[in-house]
Amino acid sequence: MKKQVYIVDDHPLVVDALNNLISKSDDLECIGSSDTIEKAFADIENLQPTLVLVDIQLKQNQNGLQLLKKLRTAFPNIAVIIISMLTDDTFVDRAFKLGAMGYVFKEDTTTQIVEAIHTVLRGDYFVSSSQATRLLGHLYRTSQKEEKDPIDRLSNRELEVFLMIGEGMPVKEIAANMGLAASTIETLRSRIKTKLSISENEKLIRVAVEWKYTQSKPEAVVSS
């Protein structure tokens, strides 16, 4: 019996590429996809796939880590792999802490993506070879008690706000996207500034934009 895979990504070309990739494996089949958290959760609740591939950056500035957290609570037996352009250790660390069993870069080869799926379906964790090297370096730096990256100090919600600030979104728009009061976003923004040792809103915007820019990579995604 084939293992069923569900895809959560807001780029149609990526979904098609992953779908085609999965269809080439005799033991796998793609049973659906979505580009929003709400539809994905509803579909996953109904379809009960074996494994879900989740992108972090989704439509309407939704964050795939939110979906990951919901899935781990509601459906702990469904395996989740994050597949993203975001390569910063911050996202990798948080994804695993929230319950992901794999983290694959969209620039990774098809061989590694298929390997990730099969590895996780066996019940093991997966990181790509390039990522493994980075994580080892990160663990070494941590063991040497070097200064922590300021971004790591942000909570998941603060990081979400920080990413939207990097998109150039004003407070009211961030509040609407997150379903929170503008005053709550103001509070979160103040906490971010404190943790990053920033006093002016203009500098916060600049830092957020620059940091987000460093995370962006070409969107070719699934290459052979």
Side-chain angles (χ1 to χ4, degrees), residues 89 93 97 134-149 152:
D89 293 335
D93 290 346
K97 287 177 181 176
R134 285 161 45 83
L135 288 176
L136 283 173
H138 177 68
L139 290 172
Y140 175 77
R141 290 192 299 273
T142 300
S143 68
Q144 296 299 308
K145 298 182 179 180
E146 290 187 4
E147 184 178 357
K148 191 176 184 180
D149 184 342
D152 289 340

Side-chain angles (χ1 to χ4, degrees), residues 7-27:
I7 302 169
V8 186
D9 197 297
D10 64 346
H11 296 89
L13 291 178
V14 177
V15 175
D16 288 345
L18 290 172
N19 200 340
N20 291 334
L21 178 63
I22 290 167
S23 67
K24 292 178 181 178
S25 294
D26 295 335
D27 58 340

Side-chain angles (χ1 to χ4, degrees), residues 103-141:
Y103 195 111
V104 181
F105 298 146
K106 285 187 174 181
E107 63 188 18
D108 284 340
T109 64
T110 56
T111 301
Q112 286 189 316
I113 293 173
V114 172
E115 182 185 356
I117 293 173
H118 285 126
T119 298
V120 168
L121 288 176
R122 290 197 303 269
D124 297 323
Y125 290 87
F126 180 89
V127 291
S128 64
S129 55
S130 60
Q131 192 176 335
T133 301
R134 285 161 45 83
L135 288 176
L136 283 173
H138 177 68
L139 290 172
Y140 175 77
R141 290 192 299 273

Side-chain angles (χ1 to χ4, degrees), residues 36-64:
T36 66
I37 290 176
E38 293 78 15
K39 184 178 184 301
F41 190 84
D43 284 353
I44 292 167
E45 183 176 30
N46 180 50
L47 298 172
Q48 292 290 306
T50 312
L51 181 144
V52 181
L53 296 174
V54 180
D55 189 9
I56 291 180
Q57 295 179 300
L58 300 172
K59 271 189 173 181
Q60 301 169 350
N61 287 291
Q62 291 187 328
N63 192 313

